């Protein structure tokens, strides 16, 4: 009937009865999840996701079971069924269109970003059940920085390497660890223009870590750094701005993330990811140059 694997078809029928395939929404490229939209004999639409590996499957199931309800009713899909061996889940749909694919303008955009900050703060309020603070050791941090610099040397000019070394020379201190989406970007935000409501999807990277590791660096360095009005709306919803320690960590982790994204994008010929990495590097350079100018003016 479809190219959905037989075991996953069986999973769908346990919750939807006989069904029809409405559309496929899979990610392009190898080692990516596959996503199908189906309609059951009960008339209900559902989404079916086959994860690329066990870690993503485990994390998304845990997110739906433990944490997404902290966002409030209807703000995220609901888990209907899961099959660990098939690495598959069935979830309910949520209303809205991707903010990345359908950009917003003016007041509506600011409203969406304000709600994005608010929802991230709600996610952070969920109990983790683990240690509330996290920090890499000196050796672990040094190894991560050296790995970043080695990769940067393959793709970037030497002066960029100097900048990256400067931004990561100081190890981030102990930071609060929260439930983090870990891919908190407009592509995973659905905006319902009728109700003016933002909803979140794709929790396969969700884990307990400081949000300055992935969530906030990607937002800061891909979007917010060059759009102060949007940044203000986001942190208004978030409830506070970043502390100096968090700002430093955001840049340090963002440097590593930018190089990682560049390497992955080039190796997989993903132009969008390469462009995002270059945007991050440009904003890192602006931050680096501003810091040098500030230090120079203080030294006069």
């Amino acid at each position: 009937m479809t190219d959905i694997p037989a075991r996953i078809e069986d999973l769908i029928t346990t919750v939807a009865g006989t069904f029809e395939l409405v559309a496929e929404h899979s990610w392009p490229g190898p080692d990516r999840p596959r996503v199908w939209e189906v309609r059951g004999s009960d008339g209900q639409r559902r989404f079916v996701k086959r994860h690329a590996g066990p870690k993503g499957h485990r994390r998304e199931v845990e997110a739906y079971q433990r944490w997404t309800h902290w966002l409030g009713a209807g703000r995220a899909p609901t888990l209907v069924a899961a099959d660990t061996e098939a690495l598959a889940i069935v979830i309910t749909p949520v209303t809205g269109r991707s903010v990345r694919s359908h950009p917003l303008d003016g007041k509506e955009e600011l409203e969406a970003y304000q709600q994005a900050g608010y929802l991230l703060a709600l996610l952070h309020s969920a109990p983790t059940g683990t240690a509330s603070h996290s920090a890499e050791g000196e050796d672990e941090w040094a190894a991560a920085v050296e790995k970043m610099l080695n990769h940067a040397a393959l793709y970037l000019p030497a002066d960029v390497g100097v900048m990256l070394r400067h931004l990561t020379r100081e190890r981030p201190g102990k930071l609060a660890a929260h439930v983090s989406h870990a891919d908190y970007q407009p592509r995973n935000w659905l905006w319902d223009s009728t109700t003016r409501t933002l909803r979140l999807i794709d929790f396969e990277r969700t884990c307990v870590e400081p949000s300055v590791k992935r969530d906030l660096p990607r937002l800061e360095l891909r979007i917010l750094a060059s759009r102060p009005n949007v940044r203000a709306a986001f942190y208004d919803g978030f409830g506070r701005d970043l502390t100096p320690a968090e700002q430093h960590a955001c840049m340090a982790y963002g440097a590593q993330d930018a190089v990682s994204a560049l390497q992955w994008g080039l190796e997989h010929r993903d132009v969008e990811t390469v462009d995002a990495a270059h945007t991050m590097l440009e904003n890192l350079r602006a931050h680096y140059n501003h810091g040098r100018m500030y230090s120079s003016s203080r030294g006069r």
Side-chain angles (χ1 to χ4, degrees), residues 30-41:
D31 302 322
R32 295 291 192 96
R34 296 191 67 188
V35 178
W36 301 274
E37 182 181 352
V38 301
R39 182 180 291 109
S41 57

Side-chain angles (χ1 to χ4, degrees), residues 7-19 46 80-82 90:
R7 182 171 179 127
I8 299 178
E9 285 191 358
D10 292 342
L11 178 67
I12 301 169
T13 59
T14 64
V15 296
T18 57
F19 68 92
R46 296 174 177 87
V80 178
V90 181

Side-chain angles (χ1 to χ4, degrees), residues 75 94-99 102-105 107-109 111-112 115 189-199:
R75 290 286 196 161
V94 288
T95 305
R97 302 198 301 179
S98 166
V99 174
H102 301 85
L104 304 171
D105 294 318
K107 182 179 178 181
E108 196 169 18
E109 181 183 43
E111 198 172 342
Q115 289 189 35
W189 305 346
L190 302 187
W191 177 251
D192 183 347
S193 58
T194 301
T195 61
R196 302 181 84 86
T197 302
L198 192 74
R199 299 180 173 94

Side-chain angles (χ1 to χ4, degrees), residues 177-240:
H178 307 283
V179 178
S180 294
H181 185 280
D183 194 19
Y184 204 66
Q185 301 181 74
R187 67 184 180 189
N188 293 324
W189 305 346
L190 302 187
W191 177 251
D192 183 347
S193 58
T194 301
T195 61
R196 302 181 84 86
T197 302
L198 192 74
R199 299 180 173 94
L200 307 183
I201 60 171
D202 288 345
F203 294 88
E204 66 179 66
R205 293 180 177 84
T206 300
C207 60
V208 177
E209 67 179 17
S211 60
V212 290
K213 274 197 169 183
R214 283 182 288 183
D215 279 344
L216 293 175
R218 290 179 181 182
L219 273 177
E220 283 281 355
L221 295 170
R222 296 185 185 190
I223 300 169
L224 303 183
S226 58
R227 304 197 61 195
N229 60 332
V230 173
R231 186 183 191 279
F234 177 84
Y235 284 107
D236 177 62
F238 193 61
R240 64 178 183 85

